[in-house]
């Protein structure tokens, strides 16, 4: 047996999270795409069957009250809260990440202007130039709608780009392509120093590492739930609003679900108190309750332990790739420093067509994904990926690259 194979066995045997894999529906495939679509938690199918057959089929309209449908966005927000370092009452679940980016950015510009009334114009939105495209598209539209200028800069350039005209800065906690972890505490403090608001996109960090939203004074944050939170395809996203900002949160999509008295059916709009004022319309209950069931896998799991395992997995993967893959075939885009690494490894494929390499990997039972033009992405979801999986992935990658 190779040295790395026995090392993988030792690491798996000592892994305090190893048992969590049984909470998921998995097979022999090495699934390293949980940063795109998390695996299915085993409790979800029966829970959804109950929601459909009993809650919908038998209780029908009564379920809005009796099955807790109406309050699901806040209730499930409170389940996500401990995973991102938020107290209860700060998060609502609903809509897509894209829609929540829109709500957060426009609300932040409005709040920045209300605060600056009479002072300098707050007419600039700063956005991470390397962002996942949807965030950039939405930021551009939000800028057009609010009469702001859009300023795309890299996260490292943000402190130097801030001025007294900056209204809001939209940043990614972890870069979706390279897996680079950005300095959320430091950048948030810099944004606040310029009198602006910070909106963080947590799509690639929540469920993989501690975020500390309350601790670091983050203003607004958004994230999806179908990656490391395993909510299922298209499961609803979430929006965090810092507690002291909630009374000033001025939503650009003030639907009836965000009204103080939604069933008052008043023609006049009065926003609800607290996080529910970030709601819009009727929640998508089936997806939402699948997510609620999926969050059971986190019961008793400390996020710090998840982070420790995540770093050990990505370290071990890089070690195996270095040992198995001939020099010059791939190059890691993921930072070596732990403080700058999320929970994925991105390898630039220098020697072959990366799309073809990934297709062959998938056919050989190792599922990662490909991002144009030449990046192989491997996501390590610490709740169900083990060290044996990690060694096998690197070994199969080497085989694919040399044949
Ligand atoms: C996955 C992801 C999204 C997805 O947005 P949707 O509206 O849910 O499709 C947005 N932003 C980032 C950074 C992502 O990684």
């Amino acid at each position: 047996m190779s040295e790395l194979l026995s090392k993988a066995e030792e690491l798996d045997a000592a892994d305090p999270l190893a048992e969590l894999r049984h909470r998921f529906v998995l097979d022999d495939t090495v699934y390293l795409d949980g940063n795109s679509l998390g695996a299915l938690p085993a409790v979800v199918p029966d829970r959804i069957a109950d929601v459909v057959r009993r809650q919908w089929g038998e209780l029908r309209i009564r379920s809005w009250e009796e099955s807790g449908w109406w309050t699901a966005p806040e209730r499930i927000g409170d389940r996500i809260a401990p995973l991102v370092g938020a107290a209860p009452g700060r998060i609502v679940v609903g809509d897509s990440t894209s829609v929540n980016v829109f709500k957060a950015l426009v609300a932040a510009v409005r709040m920045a202007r209300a605060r600056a009334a009479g002072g300098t114009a707050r007419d600039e939105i700063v956005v991470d130039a390397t962002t996942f495209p949807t965030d950039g598209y939405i930021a551009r539209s939000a800028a057009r709608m609010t009469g702001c200028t859009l300023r795309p800069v890299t996260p490292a350039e943000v402190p130097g780009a801030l001025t007294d005209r900056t209204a809001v800065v939209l940043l990614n906690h972890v870069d979706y392509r390279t897996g680079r972890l950005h300095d959320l505490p430091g950048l948030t403090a810099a944004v606040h120093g310029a009198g602006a608001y910070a909106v963080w996109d947590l799509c690639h960090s929540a469920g993989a590492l501690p975020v500390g939203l309350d601790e670091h004074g983050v203003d607004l944050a958004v994230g999806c739930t179908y990656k490391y939170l395993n909510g299922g395809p298209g499961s609803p996203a979430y929006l965090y609003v810092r507690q002291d900002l909630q009374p000033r949160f001025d939503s650009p999509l003030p639907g009836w679900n965000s009204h103080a008295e939604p069933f008052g059916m008043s023609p006049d709009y009065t926003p609800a108190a607290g996080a529910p004022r970030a709601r819009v319309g009727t929640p998508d209950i089936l997806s939402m309750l699948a997510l609620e069931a999926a969050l059971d896998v986190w019961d008793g799991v400390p996020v710090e332990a998840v982070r420790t395992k995540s770093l050990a997995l990505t370290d071990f993967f890089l070690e195996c790739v270095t040992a198995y893959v001939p020099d010059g075939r791939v190059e890691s885009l993921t930072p070596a420093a732990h403080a700058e690494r999320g929970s994925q490894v991105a390898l630039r494929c220098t020697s072959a067509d990366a799309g073809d390499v990934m297709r062959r990997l998938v056919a050989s039972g190792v599922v990662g994904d490909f991002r144009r033009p030449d990046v192989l992405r491997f996501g390590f979801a610490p709740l169900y990926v083990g060290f044996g999986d990690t060694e096998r992935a690197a070994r199969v990658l080497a085989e694919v690259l040399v044949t």
Side-chain angles (χ1 to χ4, degrees), residues 18 21 28 33 36 40 48 50 78 93 122 150 152 154 184 209 213 217 240 246 262 282 293 297-298 323 377 385 398:
R21 183 181 168 92
D28 288 346
D33 218 357
S36 214
L40 171 65
I48 282 305
D50 178 65
D78 286 350
V93 173
R122 291 280 173 176
L150 187 69
T154 65
L184 179 142
L209 51 100
L213 291 178
Y240 163 93
Q246 291 175 354
T282 306
V297 297
W298 295 94
R377 288 196 323 171
V385 174

Side-chain angles (χ1 to χ4, degrees), residues 28 82 84-85 98 129 187 196 214 259 267 283 346 360 370 372 378 385:
D28 288 346
V84 292
S98 305
L187 288 168
D214 284 347
H259 196 284
R360 286 157 61 207
F370 161 64
R372 269 167 222 295
F378 300 93
V385 174

Side-chain angles (χ1 to χ4, degrees), residues 222-290:
V222 302
C224 67
T225 62
Y226 48 78
K227 294 173 184 166
Y228 294 103
L229 298 181
N230 315 302
S235 59
Y238 58 91
L239 176 56
Y240 163 93
V241 184
R242 205 179 70 206
Q243 191 182 31
D244 60 297
L245 293 180
Q246 291 175 354
R248 289 192 283 131
F249 183 82
D250 186 356
S251 175
L253 294 172
W256 72 294
N257 275 230
S258 70
H259 196 284
E261 277 188 73
F263 292 95
M265 300 295 168
S266 166
D268 300 316
Y269 180 73
T270 309
R277 80 163 57 188
R279 287 175 63 161
V280 184
T282 306
D284 40 2
I285 291 298
L286 298 184
S287 291
M288 185 132 350
L289 299 189

Side-chain angles (χ1 to χ4, degrees), residues 7-16 18 309 313 385-389:
K7 182 170 176 183
E9 281 184 4
E10 281 163 31
L11 288 166
D12 277 328
D15 171 14
K309 181 173 174 188
L313 286 167
V385 174
F387 294 89
D389 297 326

